[in-house]
Amino acid sequence: DTAVSQTPKYLVTQMGNDKSIKCEQNLGHDTMYWYKQDSKKFLKIMFSYNNKELIINETVPNRFSPKSPDKAHLNLHINSLELGDSAVYFCASRRRQAPFTEAFFGQGTRLTVV
Amino acid sequence: KQEVTQIPAALSVPEGENLVLNCSFTDSAIYNLQWFRQDPGKGLTSLLLIQSSQREQTSGRLNASLDKSSGRSTLYIAASQPGDSATYLCAVATGNQFYFGTGTSLTVIP
């Protein structure tokens, strides 16, 4: 059983297109995240949802819009894709209430904008 | 804002050697610290989690320590193997998120 699953694993698309990445966790965690890993492999938070409520929204272009239909899902929609959006996007989840559990990450979605 | 640094950025060792990876953070108000492993083109695999009240955790050949007051953690790998080659990341957890270090790229030479 995959704890945190993302789809698709690879996404190649043209500039200007709109695309979505889906994430699901089956761990019963109350908090989910989207992280972006850049070309230098540095991971930076984009969004965090707790019980379907947005609690972190870092400085991310408003072309990026997260949506959490329920606690187990956090999808990422990107409008008008740009070359600079090319990166690996990771979804993660954990329990935010003490004792804080370890975070689990999905396998990542490698987005290439051409 | 929390800043996490990992030293060294890259490390190459012969098989069988013991090694230490370092992680330092600027704000000691953390909930826990987690060590991850990332293989090329792959996701993050959790190795060890240390809660803020703990000093160390062990799993097999891995031992992680935490000194919250000085803002440091180390990951000790005993008897390294070629299969240990990967990038190792530490992540410091606050209430709302976790901050990642810059990673240490480890190569174990057969």
Side-chain angles (χ1 to χ4, degrees):
Chain A
D1 283 343
T2 303
V4 181
S5 60
Q6 292 178 232
T7 55
K9 189 173 181 180
Y10 300 98
L11 187 52
V12 181
T13 187
Q14 291 185 324
M15 284 176 55
N17 284 350
D18 302 339
K19 290 294 179 184
S20 292
I21 306 172
K22 295 185 177 180
C23 179
E24 176 182 5
Q25 54 97 2
N26 62 6
L27 298 164
H29 289 164
D30 57 2
T31 303
M32 297 184 71
Y33 307 84
W34 278 109
Y35 275 79
K36 179 180 180 180
Q37 188 171 43
D38 60 26
S39 57
K40 295 185 179 180
K41 308 301 182 186
F42 183 66
L43 279 149
K44 186 174 179 182
I45 192 166
M46 300 174 68
F47 302 103
S48 173
Y49 270 74
N50 179 255
N51 288 321
K52 301 191 329 179
E53 180 183 344
L54 179 66
I55 57 173
I56 291 179
N57 182 355
E58 289 292 298
T59 306
V60 176
N62 56 16
R63 298 181 294 104
F64 290 78
S65 55
K67 282 192 172 46
S68 181
D70 55 56
K71 286 198 311 182
H73 296 84
L74 181 61
N75 303 322
L76 183 64
H77 188 75
I78 315 170
N79 290 326
S80 303
L81 278 155
E82 301 177 357
L83 291 176
D85 297 332
S86 296
V88 182
Y89 294 85
F90 285 99
C91 176
S93 74
R94 69 164 174 161
R95 185 178 66 213
R96 187 164 168 248
Q97 301 298 321
F100 298 94
T101 65
E102 63 186 308
F104 287 85
F105 278 74
Q107 287 301 295
T109 295
R110 183 174 295 276
L111 172 65
T112 304
V113 183
V114 297
Chain B
K1 183 179 177 180
Q2 183 74 268
E3 292 186 6
V4 184
T5 305
Q6 290 185 245
I7 295 174
L11 183 62
S12 184
V13 300
E15 182 177 2
E17 195 163 293
N18 302 327
L19 58 102
V20 175
L21 308 180
N22 298 291
C23 172
S24 60
F25 47 96
T26 54
D27 186 349
S28 62
I30 67 171
Y31 288 106
N32 59 47
L33 185 146
Q34 196 167 351
W35 282 93
F36 292 90
R37 166 188 174 139
Q38 186 175 27
D39 293 283
K42 303 290 185 181
L44 279 71
T45 301
S46 179
L47 297 173
L48 288 164
L49 171 74
I50 310 179
Q51 299 290 356
S52 62
S53 58
Q54 297 175 320
R55 299 282 295 185
E56 66 178 299
Q57 280 286 342
T58 298
S59 176
R61 295 182 293 109
L62 304 179
N63 176 276
S65 68
L66 175 64
D67 184 343
K68 207 171 69 160
S69 60
S70 66
R72 292 181 182 178
S73 176
T74 62
L75 179 66
Y76 174 82
I77 303 177
S80 58
Q81 303 171 358
D84 295 331
S85 298
T87 296
Y88 290 80
L89 296 157
C90 67
V92 172
T94 63
N96 289 332
Q97 63 166 299
F98 26 99
Y99 296 87
F100 278 88
T102 45
T104 294
S105 177
L106 172 66
T107 302
V108 180
I109 304 166

